[in-house]
Amino acid sequence: MMTLGELTERTGLDVLEHLARETAVPVVDGMQAQGDLLVVPMGMLGNVRLGMRWFPEARWLAVPPQGVELLRSTGGGNPHTLVADPGQCRWTSDVTDPTDLAIGVLEAAAVVHLIHPEHGATGIAPGRYVVRRQRERALGAAPGGLRSRLMRGANQFVCD
């Protein structure tokens, strides 16, 4: 298992000073979360499909050693970056998802990593995964101010 220090040195990406560089980066082969991102084995989500209506074939990008930025938090904040050894992972954002939460799919032939300056890193075991945003129910005054509508709130993305 790789340490956070080894991973940041290898990729050139950095994390905040309070994170212990000697910590081993866990590798997970199931569902995992990193801040406002969820990584879900594709087989668990029957409603996410590769390709889009106007472009049915997914266009894949080989993930380079310096990584691919998957998501940056609001206001230009910290990025979630997918990193992999050459030839070991590919990424596509050409997905169809009726929930509009999927931002893409990764396919890994070996362990790959997600790095975030505040959260450190997580390892993703070989396989095909959907990367999704998190959403939460926003509580607050609804139009009309009726108490029954208060609990219905609108959905909003989780931002970290």
Side-chain angles (χ1 to χ4, degrees):
M1 212 182 294
M2 190 177 302
T3 67
L4 182 58
E6 291 167 337
L7 185 59
T8 56
E9 186 175 312
R10 187 171 167 190
T11 62
L13 299 172
D14 206 6
V15 294
L16 298 181
E17 288 182 22
H18 72 276
L19 297 172
R21 301 300 194 274
E22 65 278 358
T23 302
V25 176
V27 176
V28 178
D29 66 355
M31 191 171 358
Q32 60 179 291
Q34 187 186 71
D36 50 357
L37 279 189
L38 295 174
V39 178
V40 183
M42 190 149 179
M44 294 178 71
L45 298 171
N47 60 350
V48 175
R49 303 274 181 251
L50 291 172
M52 299 165 148
R53 187 175 55 151
W54 59 89
F55 198 83
E57 284 289 317
R59 296 166 292 178
W60 292 92
L61 167 72
V63 175
Q66 68 272 20
V68 172
E69 188 176 301
L70 303 185
L71 181 68
R72 185 174 286 268
S73 55
T74 36
N78 294 315
H80 295 270
T81 305
L82 175 64
V83 296
D85 289 333
Q88 298 303 307
C89 185
R90 60 188 193 152
W91 163 262
T92 183
S93 57
D94 294 340
V95 296
T96 301
D97 174 18
T99 66
D100 290 327
L101 295 175
I103 62 169
V105 171
L106 71 88
E107 191 173 74
V111 173
V112 298
H113 295 90
L114 269 178
I115 300 176
H116 186 275
E118 291 176 328
H119 305 302
T122 59
I124 303 168
R128 185 178 272 187
Y129 299 85
V130 177
V131 178
R132 301 176 72 164
R133 297 283 312 264
Q134 288 192 62
R135 75 172 167 207
E136 61 188 13
R137 178 69 77 194
L139 296 178
L146 297 174
R147 183 160 173 76
S148 63
R149 290 186 182 164
L150 177 66
M151 298 313 290
R152 284 192 229 148
N155 288 328
Q156 64 184 21
F157 288 125
V158 173
C159 297
D160 70 327

